[in-house]
């Protein structure tokens, strides 16, 4: 849900890259001794790539990284194009009507320049969020918590969207024009550069669940380069944000060429309001789900549900007794890609057939900073959820 959570969950994994995994510190990992990790993967993985991951793990072949064997120019191009592609992910697409409503509000004067500037401020906030958080994670490699798992973060986003949605219906008035002094074009009576900047930053934060594979590769690659003395690597996360930001000044200037405001604009505004309020309801529901007590099935229940063990120690014990490899799926209720995997890749007949030889186990990691989830992610040198690992008895 929040890209900030992706950045933050990367930090302890960056430490794990340079130091050997610690000895098991809790009972959930004590059974790992007789097992060898054959391969790990993370994020949403399509059927073909998932089957290749399983085959490579069984053969002991390391998964290639996004930037392996690429020239410096090719790496820059991949990062930039990756940023552009972030605008097309399922977590960002629902934000587009909100984005257009904010940028479009400033083009009612019919000025292309003002629309361009609003779009540039909006996109600049995206780039700033990626750049600043990326540098913090790379330089400190510390742990700051996971906003994905925080119900209060979701409550805050829901409340913000309620305010924006009510503004679309003129129930409340948002006027931040007093903050526009000193900004070119800021004297216009409509729109707000402050609001555009704030919502640009929020849009970047909300993209986390879907942009994780790209963000993960960029941050880890940047960390490796920086550790080898390449200081310019600190700029790669910002370049990713610039790629994501590029379309918005263009959209802002284009919106200025729309027909002059009229009655039709009221209907468009109300339609945006409905979408924004629906988004608020979604984040409110997410907060409710996080606040609602959940049974600790993955810790205490050793049973099998739909072919999946619900306890890691029970699954490892079964694998050791039967001499079978283990497939681990780490997930959380706030992880969109986890549910997408359950509904798509894991439902494919070829994937089901390939998974038959494994002891399969679901490990719920609602808070990746708490044990045993943190120790598991460090053991797998993981970079977020969902995380998959293939292990076999030694």
């Amino acid at each position: 849900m929040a890209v900030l959570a992706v950045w933050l969950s990367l930090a302890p994994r960056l430490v794990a890259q340079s130091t050997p995994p610690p000895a098991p510190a809790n009972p959930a990992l004590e059974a790992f001794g007789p097992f060898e990790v054959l391969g790990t993967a993370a994020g949403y993985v399509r059927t073909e790539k998932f089957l290749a991951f399983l085959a490579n793990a069984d053969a002991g072949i390391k998964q290639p990284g996004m930037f392996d064997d690429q020239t410096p120019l090719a790496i820059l191009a991949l990062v930039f194009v990756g940023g552009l592609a972030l605008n097309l992910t399922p977590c960002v697409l629902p934000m587009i009507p909100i984005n257009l409503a904010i940028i479009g509000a400033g083009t009612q004067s019919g000025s292309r320049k003002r629309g361009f500037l609003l779009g540039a401020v909006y996109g600049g906030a995206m780039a700033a969020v990626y750049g600043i958080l990326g540098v913090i994670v790379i330089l400190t490699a510390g742990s700051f918590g996971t906003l994905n798992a925080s119900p209060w973060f979701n409550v805050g986003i829901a409340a913000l969207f309620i305010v924006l949605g009510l503004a679309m219906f003129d129930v409340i008035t948002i006027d931040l024009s007093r903050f526009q002094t000193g900004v070119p074009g800021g004297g216009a009576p409509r729109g707000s550069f402050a609001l555009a900047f704030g919502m640009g930053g929020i849009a970047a934060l909300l993209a986390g669940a879907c942009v994780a594979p790209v963000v993960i590769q960029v941050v880890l690659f940047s960390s490796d380069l920086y550790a080898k003395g390449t200081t310019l690597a600190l700029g790669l996360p910002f370049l990713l944000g610039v790629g994501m930001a590029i379309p918005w000044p263009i959209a802002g200037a284009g919106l200025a060429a729309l027909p002059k405001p009229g009655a039709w604009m009221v209907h468009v505004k109300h339609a945006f309001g409905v979408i924004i309020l629906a988004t608020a309801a979604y984040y409110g529901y997410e907060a409710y789900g996080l606040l609602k007590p959940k049974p600790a099935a993955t810790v205490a229940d050793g049973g099998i549900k739909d072919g999946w063990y619900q306890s890691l120690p029970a699954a490892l014990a079964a694998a050791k007794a039967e001499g079978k490899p283990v497939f681990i799926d780490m997930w959380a209720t706030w992880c969109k890609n986890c549910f997408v995997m359950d509904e798509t890749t894991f439902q494919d007949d070829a994937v089901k057939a390939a998974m038959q030889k494994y002891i399969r186990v679901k490990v719920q990691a609602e808070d990746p900073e708490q044990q045993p989830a943190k120790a598991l992610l460090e053991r797998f040198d993981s970079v977020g959820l969902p995380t998959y690992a293939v292990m076999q008895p030694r």
Side-chain angles (χ1 to χ4, degrees):
M1 176 171 50
V3 76
L4 178 59
V6 177
W7 297 109
L8 303 186
S9 66
L10 285 170
R13 259 47 84 193
L14 297 181
V15 175
Q17 283 190 323
S18 58
T19 59
N26 58 72
L29 299 184
E30 289 179 356
F32 269 17
F35 287 84
E36 175 186 4
V37 178
L38 299 180
T40 61
Y44 173 71
V45 185
R46 295 183 182 276
T47 299
E48 297 77 11
K49 290 188 177 181
F50 187 80
L51 291 171
F53 159 66
L54 294 179
N56 288 339
D58 291 342
I61 300 174
K62 182 182 177 182
Q63 287 287 102
M66 181 185 298
F67 302 111
D68 288 353
D69 302 323
Q70 300 290 343
T71 65
L73 285 179
I75 291 171
L76 293 176
L78 283 172
V79 172
F80 183 79
V81 172
L84 283 173
L86 300 187
N87 290 292
L88 304 178
T89 59
C91 295
V92 179
L93 284 175
M95 290 288 295
I96 288 180
I98 303 173
N99 303 343
L100 295 180
I102 294 166
I103 297 175
T107 63
Q108 293 178 12
S109 63
S111 167
R112 284 182 178 273
K113 179 180 178 181
R114 182 172 176 76
F116 180 88
L117 290 174
L118 272 170
V121 169
Y122 185 91
M126 292 179 171
V129 166
Y130 281 85
I132 293 172
L133 293 178
V135 168
I136 290 174
V137 169
I138 293 169
L139 289 180
T140 65
S143 176
F144 303 93
T146 303
L147 290 184
N148 287 39
S150 170
W152 310 118
F153 175 80
N154 289 274
V155 167
I157 295 298
L160 174 63
F161 281 2
I162 288 174
V163 172
L164 292 174
L166 293 178
M168 289 291 137
F169 290 97
D170 295 321
V171 176
I172 60 177
T173 301
I174 299 177
D175 182 12
L176 302 179
S177 58
R178 62 182 182 277
F179 297 119
Q180 298 177 36
T181 57
V183 181
R190 300 279 186 164
S192 167
F193 288 94
L195 180 61
F197 185 87
M199 289 305 297
I202 290 173
L205 294 178
L206 295 179
C210 294
V211 307
V214 177
V215 172
I216 285 165
Q217 293 289 346
V218 170
V219 174
L220 291 183
F221 180 73
S222 301
S223 177
D224 288 339
L225 285 182
Y226 181 75
K228 296 174 182 177
T230 306
T231 306
L232 290 178
L234 294 174
L236 286 179
F238 179 76
L239 180 61
L240 183 72
V242 170
M244 189 177 185
I246 285 296
W248 295 107
I250 300 171
L255 287 174
L258 289 174
K260 292 184 178 181
W264 68 276
M265 282 295 294
V266 176
H267 300 296
V268 173
K269 187 177 180 181
H270 289 171
F272 283 160
V274 170
I275 295 173
I276 293 172
L277 290 176
T279 306
Y282 168 79
Y283 283 104
Y285 180 78
E286 288 283 291
Y288 168 75
L290 290 169
L291 286 170
K292 185 173 63 175
K294 302 177 183 66
T298 56
V299 177
D301 184 5
I304 301 176
K305 181 179 178 181
D306 299 327
W308 292 81
Y309 276 83
Q310 305 301 300
S311 166
L312 180 58
L316 294 178
K320 186 177 179 182
E322 300 176 29
K324 289 185 176 181
V326 182
F327 178 85
I328 299 173
D329 175 18
M330 295 188 66
W331 67 286
T333 56
W334 46 262
C335 170
K336 294 182 179 67
N337 282 340
C338 299
F339 292 101
V340 174
M341 284 292 292
D342 286 337
E343 296 168 2
T344 56
T345 302
F346 288 153
Q347 295 301 318
D348 184 84
D349 290 338
V351 171
K352 288 182 177 180
M355 297 273 280
Q356 289 300 314
K357 64 180 179 180
Y358 299 100
I359 297 291
R360 290 162 288 161
V361 57
K362 293 276 189 180
V363 177
Q364 190 171 353
E366 288 302 306
D367 186 349
E369 293 304 313
Q370 297 296 321
Q371 300 293 359
K374 183 175 182 180
L376 285 171
L377 291 171
E378 290 177 354
R379 174 65 185 265
F380 300 142
D381 195 17
S382 181
V383 287
L385 298 179
T387 285
Y388 321 106
V390 175
M391 304 178 66
Q392 73 173 7
R394 294 186 185 275

